[in-house]
Amino acid sequence: MVIDPGLHIMERIMNQWNLEKGSKTYTVNGKCELTFDPTDPDFVETLCNGFAMMEKVCRNSAAVYHKNGQKVFDLLRERDRKCRAIIDDVFGKGTSGRLFGPSDVCASADGLPLWANFFLCIFDEVAQASENEQRQAFPRVLYYLEKYAKTKRQ
């Protein structure tokens, strides 16, 4: 029997694996979609760094406001601009505009700045998604270990 090498190559090309990459799409306030993998350590590091930068901008700004009387509104606009730039760096250009519209991202709701409420929601999602993935992974790994361990014993 002669095997056509062209057919063998074609079969290899046609075999496809579509692996789940963990990215999920979230809709925020019914108007802004964000896609990220809440279990990706690189994303979580970027998120943590963004949160720290936002906190620093707000903390540094608060000290300046008390010394600048009439310029306070210019300073508030500058703070908003810096915070929006950080959000856009973390989540992609234009995200802050789609999320917050014309509102200052440091305006308060539920006792926290808007940006903090947003970041904390994502931190909660990161924690929950990581817990879910760990809970699902162990039984799957155990299943395959048991399956192939049985095969070796037979």
Side-chain angles (χ1 to χ4, degrees), residues 62-78:
V64 175
Y65 299 143
H66 301 294
K67 300 176 184 175
N68 285 290
Q70 293 297 329
K71 294 183 181 180
V72 71
F73 293 107
D74 291 336
L75 295 169
L76 290 170
R77 280 188 286 279
E78 179 63 15

Side-chain angles (χ1 to χ4, degrees), residues 58 79 100 103-117:
C58 291
R79 178 189 67 182
F100 302 108
S103 297
D104 188 310
V105 300
C106 294
S108 292
D110 293 328
L112 291 170
L114 300 178
W115 69 265
N117 285 322

Side-chain angles (χ1 to χ4, degrees), residues 2-20:
V2 178
I3 298 176
D4 179 2
L7 180 60
H8 181 69
I9 292 170
M10 181 62 95
E11 288 174 355
R12 283 187 181 184
I13 292 171
M14 292 176 63
N15 291 333
Q16 293 183 17
W17 289 357
N18 295 318
L19 301 176
E20 178 60 47

Side-chain angles (χ1 to χ4, degrees), residues 3 10 37 45 60 62 76 84-85 93 95 97 99 101 126 137 147:
I3 298 176
M10 181 62 95
D37 179 351
E45 180 181 29
N60 290 345
L76 290 170
R84 286 175 180 274
K93 187 174 180 151
T95 301
L99 281 172
V126 165
K147 178 180 177 180

